[in-house]
Structure formats: C-alpha cells, structure tokens
Amino acid sequence: MMIFNDFRRSMPQTMAMSQSAQAASTRRGIFKRAGSAVLTLAVLGTLGGCGIFGGKPAHEPTPLTEIKQALTVKQIWTASVGKAGAYSFAPVAVGNAVFAAGANGSIVRVDADTGASTWSAKADTNITAGPGSDGETTVVATHKGDVIAFDHDGKQFWKANAGSEVLTAPLVGRGIVVVRAINNRVTAFDSGTGSVRWSYSQPSSTLTLRTGTGMTFVGDRAVVTGFPGGKMVALDANTGNPLWVTPLSYPKGVTEVERVNDVTGSPVVFGRQVCGATFQGRVGCADVQTGNGLWARDFSSPNGVTQDERVVAAVNTDGAVYAFSAADGSTLWQNDKLKYRDLSAPLALGRVVVVGDKQGYLHFLSRDNGELLARVKLSGAIGAQPILAGQTLVVQTRDGNIYGFRPD
C-alpha cells in the first residue's frame, strides 16, 4: 500500500478535487479542418507510426522483453460498461466512487474498493465523450453536441446542446457543467437546470488534431484548458472571462501539417503550477495564478502530462516515456522500451509512473529512474489514462472492461 499512500499524502487539495484524469481524449489522432468535414492526411510518420487511419503502422510495436517483477500488483475487482468504439472513454473518480461510460450510452457508478455497481444508466443515444461527474450530477455528450445529465440516482434530468461535436469529457463541479466542443467553444451549463451560464471561444485554426483537449478546475476560481496554437487559458469559473492566456508553444514549419500545435490531454495542476504539453511543440509549466511561464522544453506529445511534487511525466509521439523535473524542467530520465506501442497518457502514482498500451499491457515504471518494475496484462487495448480512486488504481479498456488494482 505504500505506493498509494505516498501519493495521497503529497497530493494538494487542488489536485485531489480536480478532474484532470478525465482527459478522455480520442485515440483516433486524425486531423480536421475547422468548420468542415474531417480531412484525412498522410501523417503516420509524424504521429510515430500509430496506424491512426487503420492501415499498417509505420513502425511495429517494440517487443516486450522479460522484466523482473519488482512490484506485485493485485487485481481486486473487475466491472464492465459499453465498448469505446472509435473513441476512448476514461473513468472519473469522485471520492470512492468511479464513473465510467461506453460509446453505446451505458454509464455505471461502481465502488472503488469492491467494484460493486451502485447504479447504471443508459443515454437515449450513442455518446462520444464522458463521463464527467461531481458525485451528484453525471454528464455525457454526443457527436451532435447534445449534453445529457443524470442525477445522483442515475436518472436523466436535463439535456442541452453545446453547438458542435464533443470529444472531451465534461467537467462537473462548482455548480456548473463545463463542456468543450470540437469547434473550440467552451460552454458552462448550470448543473441543476442545464441553462447556459457562460461561453468562451477561441478562433479556429486552419488544421487541428481531432482529439479531446481536457479541462481542470483550479480551486473554486478557474477552469484551465488548452487550445490549438499551443495556448493554455484560465477562465473565470463564474463568468467565463479569461483570467490569463499563456502560449505553451508556438507553431513552427512551413506546411499546415508542420504547424499543427495543439495542446493535448488535460492541463494538470499541482500546488502553484499548471503543466501541459503540445503536439509538435513543448512540454512546460506556468504559475497557476498568473499564467507566467516557469519552464518549457521542446517536446511533442499526443496525450498530455501527469505530475506530482517531483516529476512531470509525458509520452512523446514515438512512445518514449520521459520524466522532467517539476522544479526546472531538466530531464530526469527517459525510457525507450515501449516505443510505438500506442501508449496512453501516463499517471504519476507515488513511487511509480503508470501507462497502458494498445496491446492491453499496463506498465509500471520507477518514478526515480524509469526502470520497468511491473507489467500486467488486461483483456483489451488501453487508450485512456489510468486514474486513482481512493486507494485503488482504476483502468478502463477499449472493450469496456474496468479494472481495480492495488499493490501487495
């Protein structure tokens, strides 16, 4: 249990209350042209050969080598929900409750200690994003922009529309439901009635990644999210007015593809800093109150970062795992043994960094040196970031299975 206890003791309240693990980014990784149909481009090499259009990958996944299991990870329960389909649904934790959803609209609430279902619900349509929850209101969204809210018993009680397709899990709390549509409009709905409280939008870029860029709360004051063009933005949670706008990175290159520079995954808050990463840009951190940059390093990530008091960890587009010093951004270590395995966003968890891959393996790396400490095989591909719920590590696979783990 030490691995989890160390993490809980070091985690400030701002992070404990955030829903940064909701980063339900789709793993399709395709591009879209703003305001029009999806534009398919030959960018397999650019994205590390992930086979994002269903063809043969540019690189075969690096074969796994035998490791000495230095950490025993015990599966304590399993549950199920609908399959992910073309999307990647991440579970979300609220205290000791875990909420999960599938593309067919199925939603479950399970106990983090036992995996027992508290309630289950079904949206009246297929969904593309979710769930988001504060324990009282649980929300999913659709490709038409419909936002569907369920109460604490799993009964649908309002429905609204965000104006465009939603690929990002809604952020729920502080009396609002914040929804990020693919057209870069962020809308806050009243969590009790579904009425619009405020909206904010950034100009559309010519070409962007078709992916869900997550959001996180900073206390009761702000919502932080990222946008194409490498910008992180803090929005006033009451009004939607921008508190600060910080360029995490800048577009480079000549062609439209080379200049794609979207913030990926969810910005992650720990203490007084918020960190994030961009595709074909940088990884870095800013002061959470002012937006002033603290440090940045050239980097390209398809799915964002994780951080604790010591490290900021991220996966690059080739699938190498990096750990940077949270204080100054210096490289602490990198691990190339999981390249081209289409890794999920990582999770910093006490003494380890946890990451999943498309073949269903869950990998545990030492936070200190990146050494592989343990490996667990699950039933399906892992596209979503693992999360911590109470003392339980929770992982959802693309085939709809949900697992609870604890180390011995």
Side-chain angles (χ1 to χ4, degrees):
M1 296 297 295
M2 183 61 68
I3 190 172
F4 291 88
N5 291 335
D6 286 350
F7 177 79
R8 296 298 294 187
R9 284 198 296 269
S10 65
M11 184 171 62
Q13 187 67 17
T14 54
M15 185 176 182
M17 292 299 294
S18 77
Q19 296 184 38
S20 59
Q22 294 183 46
S25 302
T26 64
R27 298 292 297 164
R28 294 166 68 184
I30 58 182
F31 289 85
K32 70 178 183 70
R33 192 177 292 276
S36 64
V38 171
L39 176 66
T40 302
L41 300 175
V43 292
L44 299 185
T46 305
L47 290 176
C50 302
I52 54 176
F53 304 120
K56 184 178 180 180
H59 300 276
E60 291 297 323
T62 299
L64 297 178
T65 58
E66 185 176 350
I67 63 171
K68 181 180 179 181
Q69 294 279 127
L71 175 70
T72 301
V73 182
K74 181 180 179 181
Q75 180 183 320
I76 59 172
W77 55 261
T78 184
S80 63
V81 70
K83 293 182 179 181
Y87 305 92
S88 182
F89 292 89
V92 60
V94 181
N96 218 43
V98 176
F99 299 83
N104 65 355
S106 296
I107 309 163
V108 296
R109 181 187 190 273
V110 301
D111 184 273
D113 290 329
T114 65
S117 176
T118 306
W119 58 254
S120 61
K122 186 84 159 47
D124 57 5
T125 184
N126 290 344
I127 62 175
T128 55
S133 184
D134 63 357
E136 292 296 319
T137 303
T138 301
V139 185
V140 295
T142 76
H143 75 284
K144 294 182 178 180
D146 290 329
V147 182
I148 307 168
F150 299 81
D151 66 16
H152 64 278
D153 293 319
K155 297 179 180 178
Q156 182 177 325
F157 73 114
W158 58 260
K159 189 173 185 177
N161 192 273
S164 185
E165 182 180 22
V166 179
L167 299 178
T168 300
L171 183 65
V172 185
R174 286 64 165 172
I176 56 176
V177 174
V178 188
V179 179
R180 166 73 180 267
I182 202 168
N183 64 355
N184 296 326
R185 178 174 291 275
V186 179
T187 305
F189 301 90
D190 185 280
S191 62
T193 66
S195 60
V196 175
R197 296 268 290 269
W198 53 259
S199 66
Y200 172 87
S201 63
Q202 282 266 322
S204 296
S205 299
T206 303
L207 196 66
T208 67
L209 290 173
R210 179 181 166 82
T211 184
T213 302
M215 305 168 287
T216 188
F217 283 119
V218 180
D220 294 326
R221 176 172 178 250
V223 175
V224 179
T225 188
F227 287 93
K231 296 177 182 177
M232 281 200 302
V233 180
L235 303 174
D236 187 295
N238 294 317
T239 66
N241 294 328
L243 299 173
W244 51 256
V245 179
T246 294
L248 183 58
S249 62
Y250 300 89
K252 300 177 181 178
V254 177
T255 68
E256 289 184 358
V257 174
E258 290 173 335
R259 295 182 61 80
V260 172
N261 184 224
D262 297 9
V263 175
T264 55
S266 295
V268 180
V269 175
F270 196 98
R272 287 186 56 84
Q273 71 179 25
V274 56
C275 301
T278 62
F279 177 72
Q280 300 186 145
R282 298 193 296 186
V283 57
C285 299
D287 184 281
V288 76
Q289 299 296 326
T290 66
N292 293 335
L294 300 175
W295 60 262
R297 296 284 305 277
D298 287 345
F299 198 76
S300 179
S301 172
N303 50 23
V305 305
T306 183
Q307 70 163 318
D308 63 14
E309 77 282 3
R310 292 180 57 188
V311 306
V312 174
V315 175
N316 74 6
T317 48
D318 285 341
V321 185
Y322 282 73
F324 305 94
S325 167
D328 60 15
S330 57
T331 301
L332 300 177
W333 52 261
Q334 72 179 82
N335 187 313
D336 297 327
K337 296 180 179 179
L338 303 176
K339 290 179 69 173
Y340 313 123
R341 297 190 64 82
D342 199 9
L343 300 182
S344 71
L347 174 69
L349 190 65
R351 295 183 291 108
V352 298
V353 173
V354 187
V355 65
D357 72 26
K358 68 177 180 181
Q359 293 184 349
Y361 287 97
L362 192 64
H363 306 276
F364 295 77
L365 290 73
S366 168
R367 184 187 64 173
D368 295 331
N369 58 25
E371 178 184 354
L372 284 162
L373 301 179
R375 180 187 301 143
V376 178
K377 181 69 168 71
L378 279 60
S379 67
I382 304 169
Q385 182 185 40
I387 68 166
L388 181 67
Q391 295 293 318
T392 304
L393 173 65
V394 180
V395 184
Q396 182 173 345
T397 63
R398 296 185 64 82
D399 64 3
N401 287 329
I402 313 162
Y403 296 84
F405 294 98
R406 284 184 187 167
D408 287 340

